[in-house]
Amino acid sequence: MSIKVTNKNKRFVLNTKNTTYAFEVFKGHYLIHNYYGRTKQRFQGVKPRSLSFGAYEAQYGKRYSPDAHSMEISFYGSGDFRDTSLRICGKDGTGVTDFRYKSFRIFEGRHKIDGLPCARPDADSETLEIHLRDKLSGCDLYLYYTVFPESDVISRHMVIENNGKHTVRIDRCRPIELCLERGDLDMITLWGAWNNESNYQRVPLHHGVQSVGSRRGASSHQYNPFMAICEHSATEEKGEAYGFNFVYSGSFQNSVELDGKNRTKVQMGLCPDDFAYTLEVGERFESPEAVMTYSPSGLGQMTRNFHNFVRKNIMPAVSHKPHPVVLNTWEACYFNIDEQKLLQFAKKGAEMGFDMLVMDDGWFGERHNDKAGLGDWYENREKFPNGLAAFVREVKKQGIQFGIWVEPEMVNPNSELYRAHPDWALHVAGREPLLSRNQLVLDMSRDDVIEYLMNIFDKTFDGVDLDYFKWDMNRHLSNVGSALLPPERQGEVSFRHIKGVYRLLDWFTKRFPNAVIETCSGGGGRYDLGMMQYGIQIWTSDNTNPYRRTMIQSGAITAYPALTMSCHVSNPKEDMRSLDYRYKVALEGMLGYELNILEMSDEINAEISRQIAEYRTLEHVMREGDFFRLAAPEKETYSAYYYATPDRSELLLTLVEKKDCKAGTSKPLKLKAAKQDAVYTDVFSGERYTGKELASGLTLSLTGEADSAKLLYLKENQ
Ligand code: DGJ
């Protein structure tokens, strides 16, 4: 049993394989956090405490004040003066609520969230439901905690029901609140921009609130929803670390407050700037899910906990099969595609050993550049005179699978769709909507828009033998207004919009069960746990420069496993050394290519074929293996890491020199996951190493020359 109730039903103890999370009901009403850390049996109960200027209830006296305690969840205006997780505005207009404990329930499995993706439970997952009630507003609050024992992850989300007599509005909703009675911690986040996502940032907490988030209607290139808190001294292998993430692809806000008493409060939830949700009497709201993990043994274990969880509980089963090695047309052709050219790509691609040709942007409507066509999802007959189905049949005859690019959430003003339905784009009545990449965002909160999209894709792709969709999204949401919702519900548009996106994604997976999805948002603009439930991988970044990629991938791998990361080799400009470097950088994730094989030399194409064949022998190590970082490119002039298969019989070590790397030797690269008593042989060089030698460290030479990378594929001798 992973959830226990002790102390005469007053303390809830949630156990994963290696961690414990506990909180208790204090004074019969308040939920107070006890502990989150390595497995533990005994806890210090909550001791009454006072804090000057604390606000307290007369009946309990000043020794109980929410501000003085580690609240399990805090409510605006009810005595916790730090950032609070829930603000609900009722008839009195104050936003003050005071939810009090009523009851609990423990059940097997999990509570599924209405219209939102959420983690699949393990066979032994259990869920704790805590019921609280705010008497004055008549609202009921249900907190859900689901335990994922194997990966040491616990998730939280909440449901709010208006069972009162008046309408209420939820103004703030953060499913994770974690109070730690210490402040000597660092915060790790991933920041970036288009073409430069997932930069790893680690900074000491300062007093006050530090926060990252998105008010862009997408999780964004700018700040990823992943966040971690760790001890100042924590390394990959040592020290305490807490990781957090949000199973949601829209606007979010993560905040960490270090208060005047050197206590830390972590919160994760919806972005309040972009969210206000009205609940009429009898209505309910279900929040997205947020997840957390704890590692007593460094950041590396935190990363591996999340990798295990994402692979097992988030990614679809199909993502565990080998991912196709794709040849994508974007960097090779941009919009300049047609049937003849693509058939040449298909023929040559099949000969070279590619699994799949992916036709990127430019195949539909009047889509000759980015100024027109989005929304008109039928093939352009000048480019495909025989129709899509016949074209794809021809592609398949060459012996290669076929994937197609779509961007369903978008519309160009210059399109038939927009001319027919201008009100289907997000807009604010009376204001000119802002363009971005010459496009507007469809109002996915509307059922008629979703149904239109289902119908048109259903018709266009009917009888077309598709194996893969690249699902793109190339602008953020501005002028967020819906023509269908009344003024008092406009604050819901962003949230309803993303639910519409999920609905359409879900429909695609059911309508085209033989096709897999790669999601993308101008590269890594929606690299999040929400999107990961629908696709086999995510296009990590539009930046395919291997030097930048090394940094981008290093950030992304901190939170997300290799199988989520789509990594393409782009044009090496006839330079074999550059091709080798690009390939080795791409081997951090799932390999693909994005270059014009019709214009490459035979020598380059032959090497690409060799790489593809080699990759097929290695990809299972990245896809299902454990990741160990040895040298972080943010800190060193080279990046070094290895993957180890679960049984540790295979290790794949990569060392990538950055531009400023000097000739010399690396620090000892300790492959501690190697079996101590085994002997391994590097498949590439034939060199033999004992497990002990690998664990005590390999020192590799650094060339200091451009485009240098090394790969060791160590297999246990049988
Ligand atoms: C942005 C994507 O990230 C690119 O890979 C490509 O698909 C373009 N969109 C096409 O418009």
Side-chain angles (χ1 to χ4, degrees):
M1 275 217 323
S2 46
I3 303 179
K4 290 195 191 107
V5 190
T6 61
N7 201 13
K8 294 197 195 114
N9 292 354
K10 294 280 173 44
R11 179 175 296 126
F12 302 98
V13 181
L14 286 65
N15 284 307
T16 66
K17 205 164 147 199
N18 301 296
T19 73
T20 299
Y21 183 99
F23 61 97
E24 70 178 62
V25 184
F26 186 64
K27 303 275 186 202
H29 299 308
Y30 306 104
L31 297 183
I32 299 188
H33 183 75
N34 292 133
Y35 175 81
Y36 188 25
R38 67 174 83 220
T39 305
K40 189 168 155 170
Q41 315 277 347
R42 294 176 182 281
F43 308 89
Q44 275 213 322
V46 173
K47 298 225 167 48
R49 277 187 192 158
S50 59
L51 209 55
S52 298
F53 279 77
Y56 54 86
E57 265 185 80
Q59 60 167 326
Y60 302 129
K62 64 180 177 187
R63 281 155 66 72
Y64 169 72
S65 151
D67 207 31
H69 290 281
S70 288
M71 303 306 289
E72 187 59 23
I73 176 161
S74 56
F75 313 106
Y76 170 79
S78 279
D80 190 336
F81 294 106
R82 294 165 289 183
D83 229 355
T84 48
S85 287
L86 200 60
R87 182 184 158 120
I88 299 182
C89 202
K91 185 177 163 251
D92 58 21
T94 61
V96 177
T97 55
D98 187 10
F99 283 92
R100 300 198 166 203
Y101 174 76
K102 285 279 165 213
S103 61
F104 76 93
R105 189 164 74 92
I106 296 170
F107 52 92
E108 281 178 17
R110 66 158 304 142
H111 168 257
K112 276 205 76 171
I113 307 175
D114 178 39
L116 290 171
C118 56
R120 277 186 308 279
D122 290 336
D124 52 355
S125 280
E126 284 184 335
T127 297
L128 169 66
E129 177 193 84
I130 299 281
H131 176 202
L132 302 103
R133 184 152 228 268
D134 178 46
K135 212 162 138 195
L136 195 63
S137 68
C139 283
D140 288 286
L141 170 65
Y142 297 89
L143 305 180
Y144 291 92
Y145 296 77
T146 300
V147 176
F148 301 86
E150 263 316 296
S151 45
D152 286 329
V153 167
I154 295 173
S155 78
R156 288 182 68 171
H157 75 277
M158 59 174 93
V159 172
I160 301 157
E161 272 177 12
N162 181 358
N163 294 316
K165 294 199 169 67
H166 305 280
T167 304
V168 301
R169 191 186 63 235
I170 309 164
D171 289 333
R172 185 155 68 227
C173 173
R174 296 179 177 147
I176 277 194
E177 173 160 347
L178 177 68
C179 290
L180 301 171
E181 302 268 331
R182 61 186 297 189
D184 51 342
L185 298 166
D186 286 351
M187 177 178 181
I188 299 169
T189 51
L190 304 175
W191 62 272
W194 171 76
N195 223 27
N196 183 23
E197 300 86 341
S198 297
N199 291 279
Y200 185 96
Q201 173 174 273
R202 176 171 174 175
V203 287
L205 291 184
H206 60 74
H207 285 93
V209 177
Q210 37 250 277
S211 119
V212 294
S214 160
R215 48 180 76 82
R216 294 165 176 268
S219 48
S220 88
H221 310 82
Q222 281 68 17
Y223 302 104
N224 191 273
F226 160 79
M227 168 172 78
I229 298 293
C230 65
E231 292 183 305
H232 293 318
S233 58
T235 63
E236 282 294 297
E237 292 174 356
K238 291 198 186 86
E240 291 192 274
Y242 298 85
F244 307 89
N245 213 333
F246 203 21
V247 190
Y248 188 63
S249 310
S251 303
F252 70 96
Q253 193 178 62
N254 296 346
S255 78
V256 182
E257 179 166 1
L258 178 59
D259 72 8
K261 290 284 178 188
N262 290 320
R263 300 171 307 172
T264 304
K265 190 194 250 203
V266 179
Q267 290 174 298
M268 175 171 270
L270 296 163
C271 172
D273 285 354
D274 215 5
F275 176 79
Y277 203 98
T278 297
L279 284 186
E280 299 293 350
V281 173
E283 286 185 340
R284 67 196 251 132
F285 170 81
E286 307 207 356
S287 86
E289 176 167 54
V291 296
M292 55 192 170
T293 190
Y294 166 80
S295 156
S297 45
L299 290 157
Q301 192 56 49
M302 174 206 72
T303 289
R304 286 185 291 281
N305 289 351
F306 271 156
H307 285 189
N308 289 337
F309 172 72
V310 174
R311 275 195 298 248
K312 190 158 169 236
N313 305 96
I314 297 283
M315 299 294 287
V318 59
S319 68
H320 291 274
K321 294 187 182 152
H323 295 203
V325 180
V326 306
L327 173 62
N328 181 293
T329 59
W330 181 243
E331 286 198 31
C333 313
Y334 296 104
F335 295 98
N336 190 11
I337 51 173
D338 61 37
E339 179 166 323
Q340 281 317 313
K341 193 191 238 178
L342 290 181
L343 285 174
Q344 285 175 8
F345 270 95
K347 186 167 185 296
K348 183 93 188 155
E351 281 163 17
M352 287 172 64
F354 283 99
D355 293 313
M356 183 182 294
L357 176 68
V358 175
M359 174 166 75
D360 211 285
D361 202 348
W363 60 269
F364 52 91
E366 291 306 312
R367 187 74 170 167
H368 310 296
N369 50 46
D370 65 14
K371 295 195 175 64
L374 287 173
D376 300 339
W377 297 109
Y378 49 83
E379 67 269 35
N380 179 300
R381 281 286 175 152
E382 276 162 30
K383 297 178 185 177
F384 299 93
N386 302 308
L388 206 50
F391 161 66
V392 175
R393 271 197 300 276
E394 281 307 305
V395 169
K396 298 279 174 100
K397 277 190 200 154
Q398 313 305 317
I400 194 165
Q401 295 173 290
F402 184 74
I404 198 163
W405 181 94
V406 291
E407 194 180 3
E409 301 153 61
M410 297 293 157
V411 64
N412 284 115
N414 187 2
S415 66
E416 288 166 25
L417 177 63
Y418 189 74
R419 283 186 282 277
H421 297 286
D423 57 330
W424 280 11
L426 289 175
H427 68 285
V428 176
R431 296 184 195 278
E432 195 61 32
L434 299 171
L435 293 172
S436 179
R437 207 194 190 207
N438 304 302
Q439 63 199 56
L440 298 171
V441 185
L442 286 174
D443 178 357
M444 303 290 282
S445 73
R446 294 176 64 134
D447 287 343
D448 50 0
V449 170
I450 304 288
E451 271 144 31
Y452 164 81
L453 291 168
M454 288 175 180
N455 284 334
I456 191 154
F457 285 117
D458 181 65
K459 208 165 137 215
T460 299
F461 295 151
D462 191 38
V464 184
D465 190 7
L466 298 173
D467 300 297
Y468 182 100
F469 295 105
K470 178 176 173 187
W471 180 300
D472 208 345
M473 190 273 192
N474 281 300
R475 68 155 291 178
H476 292 142
L477 281 55
S478 60
N479 306 86
V480 178
S482 172
L484 282 194
L485 290 174
E488 64 277 14
R489 285 200 176 267
Q490 292 295 328
E492 297 166 26
V493 177
S494 185
F495 180 75
R496 288 176 179 270
H497 174 90
I498 202 77
K499 280 180 94 171
V501 174
Y502 291 139
R503 190 175 149 212
L504 189 64
L505 272 160
D506 193 50
W507 177 85
F508 259 73
T509 60
K510 296 193 169 100
R511 170 65 181 83
F512 307 106
N514 299 326
V516 293
I517 300 176
E518 168 177 271
T519 61
C520 166
S521 173
R526 271 199 315 210
Y527 208 105
D528 60 64
L529 298 181
M531 283 296 138
M532 283 174 195
Q533 296 226 329
Y534 300 94
I536 58 161
Q537 57 194 30
I538 299 186
W539 179 225
T540 316
S541 176
D542 276 347
N543 198 327
T544 54
N545 172 308
Y547 288 104
R548 279 298 327 144
R549 269 275 170 162
T550 299
M551 304 297 286
I552 293 168
Q553 292 172 189
S554 171
I557 203 82
T558 307
Y560 306 102
L563 84 168
T564 66
M565 200 153 75
S566 166
C567 301
H568 290 183
V569 172
S570 62
N571 191 355
K573 309 226 165 66
E574 287 306 312
D575 180 343
M576 290 295 275
R577 192 180 170 106
S578 172
L579 177 62
D580 180 69
Y581 185 69
R582 286 162 189 264
Y583 165 68
K584 284 176 179 156
V585 169
L587 284 187
E588 194 160 1
M590 303 290 101
L591 181 70
Y593 290 76
E594 195 154 333
L595 34 71
N596 193 338
I597 52 170
L598 304 179
E599 290 174 359
M600 302 278 155
S601 64
D602 290 348
E603 198 193 4
I604 291 278
N605 281 347
E607 175 57 13
I608 290 175
S609 296
R610 193 205 63 76
Q611 290 177 344
I612 294 171
E614 180 179 279
Y615 170 74
R616 291 195 209 285
T617 67
L618 307 174
E619 63 86 30
H620 66 282
V621 188
M622 283 85 80
R623 183 162 42 81
E624 303 296 340
D626 291 328
F627 174 83
F628 296 86
R629 197 193 310 265
L630 299 170
E634 306 81 40
K635 283 205 229 143
E636 318 266 354
T637 58
Y638 54 93
S639 163
Y641 57 85
Y642 68 104
Y643 288 99
T645 51
D647 68 358
R648 304 302 191 239
S649 65
E650 296 173 58
L651 311 171
L652 186 68
L653 169 66
T654 304
L655 182 143
V656 172
E657 295 185 24
K658 288 176 26 189
K659 265 196 176 130
D660 52 352
C661 190
K662 302 259 174 322
T665 50
S666 72
K667 64 181 184 185
L669 304 173
K670 299 181 181 174
L671 282 70
K672 293 189 183 164
K675 293 189 202 169
Q676 294 280 306
D677 47 2
V679 177
Y680 293 82
T681 302
D682 174 17
V683 172
F684 301 133
S685 67
E687 198 118 355
R688 287 157 67 95
Y689 303 90
T690 65
K692 275 205 185 88
E693 270 175 288
L694 294 174
S696 62
L698 292 184
T699 307
L700 299 185
S701 63
L702 303 167
T703 65
E705 290 164 19
D707 295 346
S708 290
K710 282 191 179 60
L711 199 63
L712 272 68
Y713 182 26
L714 301 154
K715 269 184 144 174
E716 184 184 356
N717 294 356
Q718 293 304 332

